[in-house]
Amino acid sequence: MEQINTIDKISAVYRNTAEEARQELNKVQQKIYRIGSLRLLLFVAGVVGIIYFWSESWGILACIALITLLPFLFLMKYHNRLFHRKDYLEKKMEINEQELAALDYDTSSFDDGEAYIDPTHLYTYDLDVFGPHSLFQYINRTCTQPGKHRLAHWLGKHLERKEEIIRRQEAVSELAPELKFRQRFRILGLLYKGKAADETELCQWAESPSIFRSRKLLRLLPVLVTGANLICLALVMAGILSASIYGIIWTCFVIAGFGFTGKVTKMQAIYGKKLQILSTYAALLHLMEKQPAQATLLKEIKQQIDGEKRKASHSISRLNKLMDELDQRNNVFMYVILNGLFFWELRQIMRIEAWKEQYAAELPGWLDAIGQMDALNSLATFAYNHPDYIYPKIVQAERKGKGNLNKEEESNSETEAPINAPSSFRLRAEALGHPLMNRDRCVRNDIDMVKRPFFIIVTGANMAGKSTYLRTVGINYLLACIGAPVCARQMEICPARLITSLRTSDSLNDNESYFFAELKRLKLIIDKLQAGEELFIILDEILKGTNSMDKQKGSFSLIKQFMTLQANGIIATHDLLLGTLIDLFPDDIRNYRFEADITDNELTFSYRLRPGIAQNMNACFLMKKMGIAVAN
């Protein structure tokens, strides 16, 4: 009941925030209407006044223009700020309504990361980490491309060192209660309406060589042209040079300036639109700079954006301003005048190149900082939305070095554990549940592994819960290894590389059968173990693509080899004979089961993990229930 109350409180926070934004939005919309009407009134008054007093002196006309134009310009600027505030409040309402839906397991409004689906990945495909209704979609609250890529990278390549996991746990824990900061960060990122620039593209632009500043003559040209114009103007004012001759000189400057237009236009076409996102990044960096940081990881992120000369937000804002000024070349009138006077286009592009030369080395670090903070905010929102989840205790595996081995142990065969194999493992959890399952219907189970090697063999009937249990363990193990809280009452893990084989598929393109694809995955696991990698293995119904006798023989051999290689994992199977392996490895294997209970000719499932080998099967029962004849 306490959990439900807490979830209700979180729902109330989101609901109240959305309602406050809605009320303020109504006020802003009313202001926009009033300011718009006032601007129209001033414009009409100015036009009517000028027409009415047209025959009067220029002084009166100038006064009318000032009285109406200055307030009009001020109101126009204020009007634009109101529109920006309107967009902000609309986005604020939207994200809080999204969070309310997410608390009810509707995450359809979030990016599902389908682009990251990889059927050959060690675990993400099997565990539904990416794609519709995936873990990524459930967690993802990123608002930038760097953040999205970073979160996907974390989920696809989890941490394996205790210190790194704890550092991220501390950062997530610190950010979780910072709701205003996280939401403001996300809103600012989502307000950008253009095409998001890829992190790689921005870095490529920053690292690209300077085209104009690399030539000394071009660096001098704007100065020379400006100086020549000043001299000519002085001569014209002194009556030494006629205005017509100066006009010819100025026209020559304009024509000469067109010589650089092609290259500038090409550069602007390639990067101009993509660099528009810099204003958004500047706002995000400024927000990050103001946010206090206590966790070590957050302090390191802040150090990335606190430059020696100026802060990252100021530097990015400067570049954004330069790019905006370059866009003025689209105004033909201003472009011709400024180019003729100052070689303005060339001057402006070289100022941008000068920025590149000064900050190119720092830009990747700034983008990385934005990406890390964006991804951390997603994990922090996940933690905030699940107050009953806990941060698991992380323990590091002990390794058995050469100094602890005798000569006989040092002579490893291909099937023996490598010398540097870890000598300990731990995975203990109480009330472990799948985070994507409804909290009111989720049946939680335990897991206990406290030594190496050790395997849990899970048997059970169809639909009894074996595969769900494997995915529950796998998803929570992954969450623990990326520094996120887990759906458990208590959890303790020793981080190792997660690898699964739950839904191996055939490939028509590669002319590869299902069975061969599974063998390749199993061979990959064996190779990694022999190379000394620490693995946590999750397998579902191994060797499905062969006959029963062959499957049993192969399964027995595989598990024996896992034991020799000091491996840890879980195997779910319908093959009850695999449970007899406990006779060969009484200390290293445990049997558990999910039962299907038949009561009053009805099939029921408790989804509770029980010790021992499964007693009941349900295939024939279900066939009879569906009217399919089954021989006695």
Side-chain angles (χ1 to χ4, degrees):
M1 195 67 184
E2 182 180 349
Q3 174 198 341
I4 296 174
N5 289 336
T6 308
I7 292 294
D8 285 344
K9 289 178 183 177
I10 292 171
S11 298
V13 170
Y14 287 134
R15 196 172 292 108
N16 292 339
T17 305
E19 182 58 32
E20 289 171 5
R22 184 178 290 106
Q23 291 176 3
E24 186 181 350
L25 178 62
N26 290 335
K27 295 178 182 178
V28 169
Q29 287 174 329
Q30 291 173 8
K31 284 184 180 180
I32 288 174
Y33 175 76
R34 289 197 295 267
I35 297 298
S37 301
L38 187 55
R39 282 179 60 192
L40 178 62
L41 184 62
L42 284 169
F43 178 77
V44 172
V47 172
V48 171
I50 289 173
I51 293 173
Y52 186 80
F53 292 101
W54 184 254
S55 59
E56 302 295 331
S57 66
W58 283 103
I60 294 176
L61 294 177
C63 287
I64 293 172
L66 286 174
I67 291 171
T68 55
L69 181 61
L70 288 179
F72 179 86
L73 293 175
F74 171 77
L75 289 175
M76 184 172 67
K77 192 172 183 179
Y78 182 54
H79 212 196
N80 290 336
R81 287 206 302 268
L82 287 175
F83 273 109
H84 180 77
R85 185 62 181 169
K86 171 180 169 289
D87 292 342
Y88 183 92
L89 292 169
E90 286 175 343
K91 194 61 68 176
K92 188 174 184 179
M93 280 175 49
E94 179 185 334
I95 68 167
N96 280 279
E97 288 167 355
Q98 287 174 348
E99 294 300 341
L100 285 169
L103 290 177
D104 288 329
Y105 302 95
D106 177 8
T107 57
S108 56
S109 58
F110 304 120
D111 190 327
D112 60 15
E114 189 172 8
Y116 302 107
I117 293 177
D118 178 8
T120 65
H121 192 272
L122 295 182
Y123 56 83
T124 59
Y125 187 67
D126 287 341
L127 298 179
D128 298 314
V129 174
F130 301 112
H133 312 293
S134 63
L135 180 66
F136 180 86
Q137 187 173 36
Y138 193 64
I139 292 177
N140 179 31
R141 301 296 187 275
T142 58
C143 59
T144 67
Q145 284 291 96
K148 178 183 171 183
H149 293 329
R150 178 71 59 180
L151 181 61
H153 175 74
W154 287 355
L155 287 167
K157 191 175 182 180
H158 64 74
L159 300 174
E160 297 176 29
R161 294 182 64 246
K162 172 184 175 181
E163 296 77 12
E164 293 177 347
I165 296 174
I166 292 175
R167 274 159 40 92
R168 196 177 290 167
Q169 282 183 348
E170 291 171 349
V172 173
S173 179
E174 182 176 330
L175 288 172
E178 300 293 334
L179 179 64
K180 289 184 179 179
F181 167 76
R182 288 187 286 103
Q183 290 207 340
R184 180 158 178 76
F185 188 97
R186 185 158 186 253
I187 292 168
L188 290 175
L190 293 175
L191 282 176
Y192 176 69
K193 298 175 182 177
K195 182 182 178 182
D198 188 84
E199 185 177 1
T200 305
E201 292 175 322
L202 288 175
C203 291
Q204 285 175 348
W205 169 80
E207 294 168 2
S208 61
S210 296
I211 299 174
F212 299 99
R213 276 181 57 83
S214 58
R215 299 163 67 180
K216 291 183 179 180
L217 178 60
L218 293 183
R219 291 206 301 269
L220 288 173
L221 268 180
V223 178
L224 295 174
V225 170
T226 303
N229 273 294
L230 289 173
I231 293 170
C232 288
L233 283 171
L235 292 175
V236 169
M237 293 175 67
I240 300 173
L241 184 69
S242 68
S244 58
I245 294 177
Y246 172 58
I248 294 172
I249 295 172
W250 178 82
T251 303
C252 290
F253 286 154
V254 171
I255 294 171
F258 285 139
F260 309 105
T261 299
K263 289 183 178 179
V264 174
T265 301
K266 184 179 179 181
M267 192 219 79
Q268 198 174 21
I270 296 173
Y271 294 110
K273 293 289 184 184
K274 295 174 182 177
L275 292 176
Q276 286 178 357
I277 200 172
L278 290 173
S279 60
T280 297
Y281 287 169
L284 294 176
L285 288 166
H286 182 62
L287 187 65
M288 290 164 59
E289 289 162 357
K290 293 192 301 180
Q291 179 67 15
Q294 299 299 324
T296 303
L297 181 57
L298 295 180
K299 288 180 179 178
E300 290 176 0
I301 292 173
K302 288 199 72 172
Q303 287 174 359
Q304 280 184 266
I305 61 177
D306 286 336
E308 295 181 3
K309 297 180 180 178
R310 59 168 59 188
K311 292 184 180 293
S313 60
H314 295 156
S315 303
I316 294 287
S317 294
R318 173 63 179 157
L319 175 59
N320 183 64
K321 185 179 179 182
L322 291 173
M323 295 300 297
D324 286 344
E325 289 173 355
L326 184 63
D327 287 340
Q328 296 301 317
R329 65 196 294 269
N330 297 327
N331 184 326
V332 178
F333 179 72
M334 293 295 294
Y335 169 69
V336 170
I337 292 176
L338 293 174
N339 241 18
L341 291 174
F342 313 112
F343 260 30
W344 176 84
E345 184 180 53
L346 180 61
R347 180 192 297 269
Q348 198 64 21
I349 200 69
M350 286 197 294
R351 291 169 77 186
I352 293 172
E353 288 185 343
W355 187 98
K356 278 203 308 181
E357 292 172 6
Q358 185 175 1
Y359 295 110
E362 297 181 63
L363 183 60
W366 297 340
L367 296 177
D368 177 71
I370 291 172
Q372 285 200 68
M373 184 61 73
D374 200 7
L376 285 171
N377 279 340
S378 286
L379 297 184
T381 300
F382 175 75
Y384 178 82
N385 287 351
H386 299 88
D388 57 318
Y389 287 15
I390 56 99
Y391 291 93
K393 180 181 178 182
I394 311 298
V395 296
Q396 196 68 46
E398 297 176 3
R399 284 190 170 273
K400 181 167 60 176
K402 282 189 176 183
N404 300 326
L405 301 175
N406 56 41
K407 291 182 179 179
E408 186 176 338
E409 287 176 311
E410 288 185 16
S411 57
N412 291 2
S413 69
E414 287 188 0
T415 58
E416 290 178 330
I419 291 172
N420 65 340
S423 60
S424 65
F425 183 83
R426 186 174 295 269
L427 173 56
R428 308 185 79 168
E430 295 179 13
L432 199 64
H434 199 298
L436 271 64
M437 294 184 69
N438 190 295
R439 65 183 68 87
D440 298 324
R441 296 193 296 271
C442 180
V443 178
R444 300 189 175 201
N445 289 289
D446 301 342
I447 188 170
D448 192 1
M449 289 187 185
V450 293
K451 67 185 298 292
R452 184 185 295 276
F454 196 89
F455 262 82
I456 290 175
I457 297 177
V458 182
T459 53
N462 295 301
M463 304 183 298
K466 300 188 305 298
S467 296
T468 300
Y469 178 70
L470 297 189
R471 286 183 169 83
T472 297
V473 173
I475 284 290
N476 281 286
Y477 191 88
L478 175 59
L479 287 172
C481 289
I482 65 170
V486 296
C487 181
R489 184 186 306 124
Q490 182 180 342
M491 189 172 186
E492 184 178 354
I493 75 157
C494 173
R497 185 165 302 171
L498 180 62
I499 188 165
T500 64
S501 181
L502 307 182
R503 57 154 71 108
T504 311
S505 57
D506 54 10
S507 174
L508 295 177
N509 291 335
D510 297 333
N511 194 26
E512 185 176 274
S513 70
Y514 172 91
F515 183 63
F516 186 67
E518 186 180 11
L519 287 180
K520 282 175 63 178
R521 175 55 65 100
L522 295 177
K523 178 64 166 62
L524 175 66
I525 294 173
I526 296 296
D527 289 345
K528 287 181 175 294
L529 289 170
Q530 289 177 345
E533 293 189 30
E534 299 176 41
L535 302 181
F536 177 56
I537 305 164
I538 302 179
L539 306 177
D540 190 5
E541 204 62 54
I542 51 177
L543 303 178
K544 292 185 282 288
T546 186
N547 64 69
S548 298
M549 187 174 296
D550 204 25
K551 172 184 172 182
Q552 283 181 3
K553 184 178 179 181
S555 299
F556 270 72
S557 299
L558 180 67
I559 295 173
K560 288 178 182 178
Q561 192 168 1
F562 283 160
M563 290 299 165
T564 304
L565 291 168
Q566 301 291 297
N568 284 78
I570 312 174
I571 297 176
T573 181
H574 288 96
D575 189 349
L576 304 184
L577 282 177
L578 285 186
T580 62
L581 280 167
I582 195 172
D583 298 330
L584 292 175
F585 305 98
D587 297 326
D588 303 330
I589 284 181
R590 288 292 177 271
N591 288 313
Y592 288 93
R593 59 195 168 104
F594 285 97
E595 291 290 7
D597 300 314
I598 302 174
T599 307
D600 297 330
N601 204 35
E602 291 295 332
L603 191 65
T604 59
F605 302 100
S606 68
Y607 304 113
R608 293 288 182 188
L609 190 67
R610 311 175 193 178
I613 301 173
Q615 303 298 312
N616 302 322
M617 293 294 157
N618 60 14
C620 292
F621 174 81
L622 288 172
M623 290 172 68
K624 289 178 181 178
K625 290 281 285 185
M626 296 180 69
I628 302 173
V630 178
N632 292 325

